[in-house]
Amino acid sequence: MNDHGRTGSRESSSFGGLEIRLRRLFSPDTGRSLIIPLDHAITMGPSGGLERPRSIIEAAALGNADAVMLRPGMVGCLSGMGAEKLGVILALTGRLASGVDHVLLNSVEYAASQAADAVCGEFKFGSSGDLENARIIAQLAERAHMMGIPVLVTVYSRPEALDRLGSDAYAHACRIAEEIGADVIKTSLPDDPAVIAQCVESTSVPIVVAGGPPDTSTDLEEFLRRAVNQGIGGAAIGRRAWAASKPVEAIRGLAAAVHGEHAHV
């Protein structure tokens, strides 16, 4: 099994800005990352825990997360307590309430001016616009890499892809993300060891699993422990972190699941 837990697993003969920035996103002890995304409000609205983004960032720092993902216009919220120890991923694509496909909203150059450690773009494999979205992200990745900035690609397998390919759609989606330029892949995966193993073996960059909406029927921390034991490189958990009744405690538990005995206390 490939060592997907290490940072910057993409092979490189040089060490430069991209590698340095990637190191800011991953724990030096485990090579894994707990990312807290809070880029949902343009779609969901400022509700359900998103009303106070500065508080989410402070909770992420207190809960020992490794990085946060937000939109460029919210960078001012990083002035909160403890935010200086967090990696910063700026989401550059998005959508409003309608449709599923993303468009490019902000530029890589602007993200660089806002001290981004990485940039992010998203597409849904199997949607009607997946090819155009893949092109947008490929061009985003080209620009980012020329500037030494890592790229996190968020990719989700739509029902259309799952109907056509079955569970192979998950690994296929991850491989597309890597081939168009991902240094880190964020995706939602089922609690199926065979699917997780296929995704890990089909890629050579870290995969972080997305948390999705609150689902009390799933023991998320136990799922994360099993996933990282199979080579998953961490997690990106939004709603099940900042929408929790006690966000700091929730994030601390997720960090323990991702990092095991190396989690901060």
Side-chain angles (χ1 to χ4, degrees):
M1 182 176 292
N2 294 332
D3 182 7
H4 287 65
R6 67 183 186 273
T7 62
S9 59
R10 188 184 293 278
E11 292 296 329
S12 176
S13 59
S14 63
F15 187 80
L18 191 147
E19 291 80 8
I20 291 169
R21 291 183 177 95
L22 269 177
R23 290 196 302 177
R24 297 174 186 160
L25 308 180
F26 291 85
S27 164
D29 296 318
T30 66
R32 296 189 288 269
S33 183
L34 173 62
I35 301 165
I36 306 299
L38 55 146
D39 59 322
H40 309 62
I42 66 168
T43 302
M44 294 174 53
S47 61
L50 286 168
E51 300 90 339
R52 295 173 294 278
R54 191 185 306 270
S55 295
I56 297 172
I57 292 166
E58 290 180 355
L62 290 170
N64 301 314
D66 299 286
V68 289
M69 181 190 299
L70 65 164
R71 296 193 179 278
M74 305 304 289
V75 165
C77 296
L78 291 165
S79 61
M81 180 178 62
E84 69 281 352
K85 73 176 187 177
L86 296 167
V88 177
I89 304 166
L90 295 186
L92 304 186
T93 69
R95 64 181 179 89
L96 300 182
S98 60
V100 300
D101 294 312
H102 278 213
V103 299
L104 186 65
L105 297 175
N106 294 99
S107 68
V108 175
E109 289 82 359
Y110 183 62
S113 78
Q114 299 299 298
D117 295 311
V119 295
C120 173
E122 177 177 323
F123 76 101
K124 278 87 169 178
F125 179 45
S127 76
S128 61
D130 62 0
L131 179 59
E132 173 61 16
N133 273 188
R135 184 188 68 82
I136 289 171
I137 293 171
Q139 294 185 350
L140 180 157
E142 284 183 19
R143 189 63 183 165
H145 287 160
M146 287 190 289
M147 299 173 67
I149 298 175
V151 177
L152 183 151
V153 174
T154 299
V155 58
Y156 296 114
S157 297
R158 292 276 301 166
E160 297 90 335
L162 291 165
D163 289 345
R164 179 166 55 89
L165 298 172
S167 63
D168 289 347
Y170 295 105
H172 193 163
C174 289
R175 186 56 175 265
I176 293 171
E178 179 176 11
E179 296 214 8
I180 62 176
D183 302 290
V184 184
I185 299 164
K186 172 191 168 189
T187 194
S188 181
L189 294 175
D191 190 3
D192 183 332
V195 170
I196 293 172
Q198 184 182 13
C199 291
V200 169
E201 293 296 340
S202 297
T203 57
S204 61
V205 298
I207 297 171
V208 296
V209 291
D215 178 4
T216 56
S217 68
T218 300
D219 186 331
L220 180 57
E221 292 181 17
E222 183 57 34
F223 167 66
L224 293 178
R225 291 187 189 97
R226 292 195 300 270
V228 298
N229 284 338
Q230 285 193 266
I232 288 294
I237 309 295
R239 280 164 282 196
R240 295 181 69 175
W242 39 256
S245 59
K246 296 181 178 179
V248 173
E249 288 82 351
I251 294 169
R252 191 170 287 135
L254 296 169
V258 168
H259 294 302
E261 64 182 18
H262 294 287
H264 297 290
V265 295

